[in-house]
Every structure is written in structure tokens, then in C-alpha cells.
Amino acid sequence: MSQAASSEIVITAFIGAIRPSFDYVVVLTTLSSCLLTLLVVLFAFSTKESRRRLVFHLNVLAICLTLILGIFSGITSGQAVLDPFHQVSKNVYIATIVFAVFPPLFYDSILLFRLFALYPPAITPKITLLKIFAFPFCIKCARIVVISLVLNHFVQSATSTAALVQNATATWFRNPYLIAEWSMQIADNLYSVTFFLYKLHIHASTFKRVA
């Protein structure tokens, strides 16, 4: 009876240990499938002219980067489920973290790039461009510095994958550098989205008055 109870405790503990990684694999599989569908739709409904535009290539690159993150995360989490006693190498785990923290900066840059549609550099005064893009440019530079510090401290914090996992679990959401990065990301996105929608509203209002 005691052996059965002991076995049940061990099995329950094992399931509890791998369950977060299993849930993560399920979520990653779903999101990656959605991204593949989005990539197919992007090509299917685009025209030859739209495919020549830089923003189209940037969107494709953004989806590919996210798929790469999904692959790395799937390998890392899948290994934790299938063979929890032999984790992936430290380099693979670090690569997963790199693809998790750096690409959002690229995605936000695509959002900012759309402002050039409203302010073409060829016909917009340089002082106007400076006023519009000075803040997002400075905040993106600050984000690059902060993310670099995060990765540098993270890589140097441990010498094994297990230690890195423990460190990430314990400090990830309390890391002051990451909190600063997330705060700047919110400010960056709010600025770009608000400014873009505001100018779009002005253009639409002007068009209605002319019509």
C-alpha cells in the first residue's frame, strides 16, 4: 500500500514538473499554425505590386522570426517534456531567449515604418521628420541597450541550462531591465499607433470635406 502511494506521489510530482512545458508546447503549436496560415494568406491575397513593397518583405520577415522562435521554444519545451533529465544545450536555450526578447523591437519598427506612408521623406521637411521620429528613435536605441544588458547578465548568470532555467523562472518577471524594456515598449507602441491613427483621421476628414 505504501509503495503504491509512493509511486502515485512520484508520478504526480513528475506530471506537475512537466505540465508547464507541456502547456507551452500546446500553445506554441497553436500559435505557429496560425502564423503559417497567416503567411499563406499574406501571399495568397497580395499582388505583384504589393510584394515589391518593403513593408511586405518586413511583414514576411516578422512572421518568419516568430516561427523561428516557435521552433526554438518547441525544442526547448519539448525536450523538457520528453526527456526532463537531459535538457537542451545552453546555446539553444540562450538562442530561444534571444529570439524572445529582440524581435519585438523589430516588429515595433515595422509599425513605425508605416508612418513614412503619411510623411514621405522625399517631400516632408527634415525638421518635421526630426520632430516626429526623434522620440521613437531614441526610445528604440534605449531598448537596444536595455535588451543587450538583459542578455549579457542572463548569459553570465549561470553556466548550465538548468541554472539558466531556474534563474529565468525566479527573476524573469522581476528583472528591472526587462520591466524597463516592457515599459518603453508600451510607450513606443502607444506613440506610433496614436500618431498613425491621428494622422489617418486627419487625412480622412480632409478627404471627406473635399468630397
Side-chain angles (χ1 to χ4, degrees):
M1 185 70 178
S2 60
Q3 290 182 349
S6 177
S7 300
E8 183 178 352
I9 292 173
V10 171
I11 293 173
T12 302
F14 177 77
I15 294 175
I18 67 171
R19 183 168 183 174
S21 297
F22 177 79
D23 293 341
Y24 201 43
V25 169
V26 173
V27 173
L28 283 172
T29 303
T30 304
L31 293 178
S32 297
S33 300
C34 293
L35 285 173
L36 282 174
T37 304
L38 179 61
L39 187 62
V40 172
V41 170
L42 186 64
F43 276 97
F45 289 94
S46 61
T47 62
K48 290 184 178 180
E49 181 181 353
S50 64
R51 291 172 194 162
R52 296 192 187 100
R53 296 178 180 176
L54 179 59
V55 68
F56 178 84
H57 297 285
L58 293 176
N59 287 331
V60 172
L61 180 58
I63 294 175
C64 291
L65 287 175
T66 309
L67 287 174
I68 293 173
L69 170 61
I71 292 172
F72 273 114
S73 299
I75 292 173
T76 303
S77 300
Q79 181 72 12
V81 173
L82 298 176
D83 193 0
F85 301 105
H86 298 86
Q87 296 178 336
V88 296
S89 66
K90 180 182 176 181
N91 291 334
V92 172
Y93 190 78
I94 291 175
T96 304
I97 298 299
V98 170
F99 274 96
V101 297
F102 258 119
L105 183 62
F106 174 72
Y107 308 150
D108 298 339
S109 299
I110 297 176
L111 181 62
L112 182 65
F113 180 79
R114 296 182 183 276
L115 288 177
F116 285 113
L118 300 175
Y119 295 94
I123 61 175
T124 305
K126 292 183 179 179
I127 188 64
T128 302
L129 292 175
L130 180 62
K131 291 178 181 179
I132 295 171
F133 293 99
F135 173 76
F137 177 78
C138 291
I139 204 168
K140 280 178 171 54
C141 290
R143 289 177 63 186
I144 291 174
V145 172
V146 170
I147 292 173
S148 300
L149 290 173
V150 169
L151 292 176
N152 182 58
H153 289 177
F154 181 75
V155 171
Q156 295 181 355
S157 65
T159 57
S160 65
T161 303
L164 286 176
V165 172
Q166 291 178 354
N167 182 39
T169 303
T171 65
W172 188 260
F173 294 103
R174 295 180 296 173
N175 189 306
Y177 293 113
L178 280 176
I179 294 174
E181 151 62 10
W182 295 331
S183 300
M184 288 188 289
Q185 183 179 11
I186 292 173
D188 193 3
N189 288 336
L190 280 176
Y191 177 87
S192 299
V193 172
T194 303
F195 202 88
F196 181 81
L197 293 178
Y198 171 72
K199 292 303 298 182
L200 201 61
H201 174 71
I202 291 178
H203 279 258
S205 300
T206 304
F207 179 78
K208 287 180 180 179
R209 285 197 298 267
V210 172

